Amino acid sequence: LVECQENSETILKMLDSIMDLMEAETGTMFLNMERLSLRDLIENILDIYRFIGDEKNIKIENEVSPDLFINGDKGKLLQAIANIIDNSI
């Protein structure tokens, strides 16, 4: 059952990525640009993935400066950061 859930989540992520690519190619992608703390974005994702890291005996830390801000779409950036971390662990 756990494996089935993991496979379903993987398929959903793939479909989301395909939809994003289609929107980018057709020019219909909407980006909600705002000033964001990169440290806070990463910390939000790490809160989810630390449990997985602990299970695999991997220590995950956030060493991004609290003074670092970026302009971007929060949802898209969270998705990208989550994909990077998910692929790393």
Side-chain angles (χ1 to χ4, degrees):
L1 188 58
V2 171
E3 185 177 335
C4 183
Q5 182 180 357
E6 289 173 354
N7 289 340
S8 296
E9 290 173 6
T10 300
I11 291 170
L12 282 174
K13 287 179 186 177
M14 290 172 56
L15 289 173
D16 283 342
S17 294
I18 291 169
M19 292 297 293
D20 287 344
L21 285 172
M22 289 175 51
E23 288 177 353
E25 287 181 0
T26 61
T28 58
M29 179 180 282
F30 174 77
L31 298 175
N32 183 21
M33 302 298 284
E34 57 185 306
R35 187 169 190 241
L36 303 163
S37 164
L38 184 58
R39 181 179 180 82
D40 290 346
L41 282 173
I42 292 173
E43 194 61 39
N44 288 338
I45 297 299
L46 292 184
D47 286 342
I48 298 167
Y49 282 96
R50 278 196 180 100
F51 176 74
I52 297 169
D54 289 344
E55 286 182 339
K56 296 181 177 185
N57 212 18
I58 299 170
K59 185 175 181 180
I60 302 173
E61 295 184 14
N62 184 354
E63 296 183 4
V64 175
S65 169
D67 300 327
L68 183 59
F69 291 86
I70 59 173
N71 290 318
D73 183 289
K74 184 176 183 177
K76 300 294 183 198
L77 288 168
L78 286 172
Q79 181 181 6
I81 295 167
N83 286 341
I84 291 167
I85 295 170
D86 189 55
N87 291 337
S88 298
I89 60 173

